[in-house]
Amino acid sequence: MRKLFRTICLLWLSAVALHAQTLTFPRNGVQDERPNLYAFTNATIIQDAGTTIEGATLLIKGSVIEAVGKNIAIPAGTTIIDLKGKRIYPSFVEPYSSYGSPETKKEARAFRGDPQFESKKPGAYNWNQAILPENDAAALFTGNSAQAEELRKLGFGAVVSHIQDGIVRGTSSLIALIDGRDQEALLKSKVSAHYSFSKGSSTQDYPNSLMGSVALLRQTYYDADWYKKAKKNTEFNISLDAFNQNQGIPQVFEANDKLNILRAEKIAKEFGVQYIYKGFGDEYQRIDDIKASGAALIIPLNFPSAYDVEDPFDASVVTLAEMKHWELAPANASYLAKANIPFAFTSSNLKNKSDFDQSAQSR
């Protein structure tokens, strides 16, 4: 069943790669004028978590699903594939990825060098290098066929990708995992805005603590509000302008710790923001507080490995809290579901992406 699902995914992705419109590119040779219509008939189609259609048809035109259901009229010239006794599932979407984004590297600084108080980024940007709302993943996207193939094998058809660097990280893009042109793979830009408490590749001395990161993020909200009310009469700040423009899309915060979720939630309430939190897998430990936030979560599947406690000394340094988390972490999603907290899985923290199937199914 999974093999068929992946086959359907790859058929659709191949259609995207081969038949998507490329009107902005010159054509060399005879243009293919075929209608590029495909109908998968007599299949059991799982349309979503609550909708299963027996004996249904999936009609695809080029790279677009035209119709799903029963008694669908099939246009002349359509390639028909009978899938009686088979099932079709929608592909997964990876909600938290850096796919196609350039690797960020922190510039080396001389040991005990002079402190850096100001940004070294040239241009009319924010005074702090960790505030990067102007980063647009679409502008720097380059496809990677090997990574795309790895994700397709897990059942993913698309990813939401952003540059994972800084406290204010800019916007993400929705990208199809195809081997075609980058222009065809890029489905939508500015899908969501991203934040964290990590300064990333910034070489500035400030912030150098969690408290400083919280203060800098709060100050950025205040600066952006002042900038909006000033109506750019005093300066044009590319970063603050982008920050304000990004407020109209979903806001995603990489917390990576149950307590950081609660810290970020205080900022959210102060400035009237609703974050989606990318968690750590320990949310079950503060389930009531997280539920009270009303936030949705993106949770990883990188469960802690079993501790080697055969040696008495090694066993003595493993805390009870660590042992309990090892025991309960795989049930984190179950606790969230029972508390009616919406969440999505991500493969982003897995060292071996192939573990995603097994980890997700075990939940």
Side-chain angles (χ1 to χ4, degrees):
M1 183 170 65
R2 186 181 304 152
K3 183 177 181 181
L4 173 66
F5 156 63
R6 289 173 178 163
T7 300
I8 297 299
C9 287
L10 292 175
L11 283 170
W12 177 78
L13 291 167
S14 297
V16 173
L18 296 175
H19 302 301
Q21 292 184 351
T22 56
L23 298 180
T24 60
F25 292 92
R27 298 167 180 167
N28 183 17
V30 178
Q31 177 67 16
D32 187 351
E33 299 293 345
R34 288 176 296 180
N36 302 323
L37 286 166
Y38 297 86
F40 301 93
T41 62
N42 301 316
T44 298
I45 299 180
I46 291 78
Q47 189 168 356
D48 54 51
T51 308
T52 299
I53 310 173
E54 301 287 347
T57 296
L58 173 69
L59 183 64
I60 296 176
K61 182 177 181 180
S63 60
V64 178
I65 295 176
E66 291 283 300
V68 177
K70 304 183 72 170
N71 303 317
I72 291 176
I74 300 177
T78 300
T79 300
I80 300 175
I81 302 173
D82 190 344
L83 295 181
K84 185 176 182 180
K86 308 295 184 181
R87 291 187 172 131
I88 300 175
Y89 292 80
S91 66
F92 300 133
V93 175
E94 168 57 72
Y96 203 89
S97 172
S98 60
Y99 170 77
S101 295
E103 183 180 357
T104 56
K105 295 181 179 179
K106 190 169 184 175
E107 180 184 341
R109 286 180 58 183
F111 180 68
R112 291 187 177 180
D114 293 335
Q116 181 190 335
F117 297 117
E118 297 182 357
S119 173
K120 289 186 177 181
K121 183 175 181 178
Y125 296 101
N126 193 271
W127 65 272
N128 193 284
Q129 288 176 211
I131 305 301
L132 302 164
E134 67 276 4
N135 277 356
D136 182 357
L140 299 174
F141 166 67
T142 301
N144 185 307
S145 58
Q147 291 180 11
E149 174 66 14
E150 180 182 32
L151 288 165
R152 287 199 301 264
K153 287 181 178 180
L154 298 177
F156 290 104
V159 298
V160 177
S161 177
H162 73 284
I163 302 168
Q164 297 179 14
D165 182 37
I167 291 174
V168 180
R169 298 177 163 187
T171 56
S172 63
S173 298
L174 178 63
I175 300 166
L177 295 170
I178 63 172
D179 293 329
R181 298 179 187 271
D182 291 344
Q183 292 85 345
E184 297 165 345
L186 187 61
L187 302 178
K188 186 177 180 180
S189 64
K190 300 186 185 301
V191 172
S192 51
H194 291 258
Y195 308 83
S196 78
F197 286 137
S198 171
K199 66 187 289 186
S201 64
S202 171
T203 52
Q204 278 181 263
D205 288 63
Y206 178 78
N208 58 11
S209 67
L210 176 58
M211 182 173 65
S213 295
V214 171
L216 178 58
L217 181 55
R218 292 179 66 244
Q219 186 63 54
T220 303
Y221 274 104
Y222 282 118
D223 288 347
D225 183 62
W226 171 85
Y227 182 76
K228 180 171 60 176
K229 292 175 180 177
K231 297 181 180 178
K232 307 174 189 175
N233 290 332
T234 57
E235 64 178 58
F236 186 85
N237 187 303
I238 297 173
S239 297
L240 294 180
D241 191 65
F243 186 92
N244 285 329
Q245 291 183 35
N246 295 347
Q247 296 310 299
I249 56 180
Q251 309 288 293
V252 181
F253 200 107
E254 183 183 74
N256 282 343
D257 176 73
K258 61 183 184 297
L259 297 180
N260 277 346
I261 290 178
L262 303 183
R263 292 184 181 103
E265 186 60 19
K266 289 184 178 181
I267 298 174
K269 290 180 178 178
E270 181 178 1
F271 296 100
V273 180
Q274 179 65 75
Y275 289 131
I276 299 169
Y277 293 107
K278 194 266 188 176
F280 181 70
D282 59 357
E283 292 75 28
Y284 66 92
Q285 297 176 17
R286 298 297 293 268
I287 197 79
D288 292 336
D289 292 327
I290 291 174
K291 180 176 176 60
S293 73
L297 301 177
I298 299 172
I299 59 172
L301 292 166
N302 57 325
F303 310 128
S305 301
Y307 293 98
D308 183 356
V309 293
E310 184 174 353
D311 186 287
F313 177 78
D314 291 337
S316 68
V317 298
V318 178
T319 67
L320 177 61
E322 290 171 330
M323 290 293 290
K324 290 298 292 182
H325 180 58
W326 167 77
E327 178 186 13
L328 295 174
N332 185 54
S334 176
Y335 286 111
L336 295 175
K338 290 175 182 176
N340 294 316
I341 298 174
F343 67 89
F345 289 127
T346 177
S347 65
S348 63
N349 289 79
L350 290 172
K351 292 181 179 179
N352 187 352
K353 296 291 187 184
S354 63
D355 291 339
F356 178 81
D357 269 359
Q358 183 177 356
S359 298
Q361 290 176 28
S362 66
R363 299 313 99 220

